[in-house]
Amino acid sequence: MALYIYDNKNLGYLHILQAETMSLSRVRTVVSTNWLREQISTNVQKQASKKLRILDTSFVMDRHADSYNEGYKKGHIPQSVHFDLYKCTPEKPGITVGWPDVNCFTDYVQSLGIWPETHVVAYDRFLPLSAYRTWWQFRAFGHRNISVLDGGLKKWLDDGFELTTEEPEFERSDFVPKLDKNLFRTFEDILENLKSKKEQLVEARPMDHPTMIDEEKGGFIIGSKFVSFFDLFMEDGTIKPDAELKAMFDQAGVDLDKPMVITCVRGLTACGIAAAAQILGKDNVPVYQGSWQEFFMKGPDEYKGKVQQKS
């Protein structure tokens, strides 16, 4: 059973999960900068609390770029730690961000002091690609106590909040992953679904995206419905009100009462669409991890669509 309400005081959507013990735990899909600033103010010590871990997930497409020294080290939200999306993901031809090795990811998360009870808040300093991918990835590994900072670092700075170069201290955790197959789909799952059509296939890229219209490698999976990740946000970078999000799904012909799977080009923006669906009450929305990058290389040509260019 899942319920979603809007918390006016803390300015965030509340996802209320009813556990087997019948107790309630609240996890916001997105949290406001004001809420996060208040949490930091209650813990001014250098030793970070087990209750909250803030992750600076900022990254660029070049996996060999030094996002720690070039980004995080120069200034970050107080109490935040650097989180590298590329860590534990082996380089594969044609795949930008792969699925992490479980043992490596476990060790990495433990080193960040993330415990089962830790509320993780992910943010980025550019487009919120990496923050939503981190949100989905942690949930797929069984840690659902995670939110995205609405508007990211830009909104934090626009609101006049400070940055720091200090890094918090914390003890190593005993994090143990519990893979949730409900939250991801493999290439084989997608092939099966193209025949069974049990799940709606939702594409997170806009029709004019470069990876859609590229003559050589562009395209999409036949049968997709289009809900653009880039249309989820308002001018200040925060996510749109739920009524506007709902209208986007409706206009694309997506029925939120029916099963769906989200895809994109590399498994990043799809996670934002999954989060938007969760805000609207659709929990456990899976993402096709390999997305178009994998499907282009492995998928049958009969299931590859091309955007018709206007003459």
Side-chain angles (χ1 to χ4, degrees):
M1 177 180 177
L3 172 67
Y4 297 77
I5 60 176
Y6 194 79
D7 180 1
N8 288 311
K9 178 181 178 181
N10 292 317
L11 302 180
Y13 289 93
L14 297 180
H15 175 201
I16 302 178
L17 291 174
Q18 188 163 10
E20 292 181 356
T21 60
M22 302 301 289
S23 64
L24 295 178
S25 61
R26 297 184 175 188
V27 181
R28 299 175 181 86
T29 307
V30 296
V31 294
S32 72
T33 52
N34 288 326
W35 177 87
L36 183 60
R37 184 66 184 85
E38 183 177 331
Q39 307 311 305
I40 294 172
S41 297
T42 61
N43 180 43
V44 296
Q45 304 94 341
K46 189 174 183 181
Q47 182 73 30
S49 168
K50 283 185 178 181
K51 295 181 179 180
L52 178 69
R53 189 69 67 247
I54 309 167
L55 301 184
D56 183 329
T57 70
S58 307
F59 91 128
V60 294
M61 294 304 172
D62 179 4
R63 68 181 296 131
H64 300 294
D66 189 353
S67 59
Y68 171 76
N69 283 303
E70 295 302 318
Y72 174 82
K73 191 69 174 175
K74 292 183 177 180
H76 49 265
I77 292 176
Q79 294 291 321
S80 66
V81 297
H82 178 252
F83 178 76
D84 186 357
L85 263 182
Y86 290 124
K87 193 172 182 66
C88 302
T89 61
E91 290 191 63
K92 294 183 179 180
I95 302 297
T96 304
V97 186
W99 183 254
D101 173 80
V102 175
N103 292 329
C104 178
F105 186 76
T106 301
D107 180 72
Y108 187 34
V109 174
Q110 289 178 349
S111 75
L112 297 174
I114 296 173
W115 301 76
E117 67 269 26
T118 304
H119 183 180
V120 178
V121 176
Y123 77 89
D124 48 55
R125 60 191 64 223
F126 308 113
L127 287 172
L129 305 175
S130 56
Y132 281 101
R133 167 61 183 245
T134 302
W135 170 83
W136 169 77
Q137 189 165 291
F138 267 84
R139 295 177 78 247
F141 274 109
H143 191 90
R144 296 204 169 203
N145 196 8
I146 182 168
S147 307
V148 171
L149 180 62
D150 204 11
L153 186 66
K154 180 181 182 301
K155 184 67 165 59
W156 179 268
L157 293 173
D158 288 347
D159 288 343
F161 298 142
E162 74 282 2
L163 299 182
T164 184
T165 57
E166 292 186 359
E167 300 186 32
E169 298 176 354
F170 43 81
E171 60 180 295
R172 187 180 183 87
S173 77
D174 60 357
F175 172 82
V176 177
K178 298 178 181 179
L179 201 61
D180 189 346
K181 183 63 170 64
N182 292 320
L183 292 179
F184 66 92
R185 296 289 180 267
T186 64
F187 172 74
E188 289 74 22
D189 293 330
I190 296 299
L191 280 185
E192 181 181 342
N193 187 66
L194 285 169
K195 298 174 182 177
S196 68
K197 303 187 186 304
K198 290 181 179 179
E199 295 178 324
Q200 302 167 95
L201 189 61
V202 182
E203 170 61 62
R205 293 173 292 165
M207 293 292 288
D208 61 351
H209 194 271
T211 61
M212 282 278 202
I213 61 179
D214 181 85
E215 292 186 3
E216 182 180 351
K217 296 183 179 181
F220 58 92
I221 303 174
I222 290 290
S224 298
K225 299 179 180 181
F226 298 88
V227 180
S228 172
F229 169 85
F230 301 100
D231 292 337
L232 293 177
F233 308 99
M234 300 192 291
E235 289 186 5
D236 65 354
T238 58
I239 200 160
K240 288 179 176 178
D242 55 347
E244 294 184 38
L245 295 178
K246 178 64 163 56
M248 291 175 59
F249 284 95
D250 290 343
Q251 291 167 8
V254 178
D255 188 341
L256 288 168
D257 291 327
K258 296 181 179 179
M260 67 183 70
V261 56
I262 319 296
T263 186
C264 56
V265 64
R266 56 180 66 87
L268 294 176
T269 57
C271 302
I273 301 300
Q278 177 174 292
I279 286 172
L280 295 173
K282 185 72 173 178
D283 198 14
N284 292 330
V285 176
V287 167
Y288 171 25
Q289 153 65 25
S291 282
W292 178 249
Q293 285 187 333
E294 180 181 55
F295 197 86
F296 173 78
M297 294 187 295
K298 298 170 61 176
D301 289 340
E302 63 185 291
Y303 293 123
K304 297 176 183 176
K306 282 285 187 180
V307 176
Q308 298 298 317
Q309 297 293 306
K310 296 181 180 179
S311 56

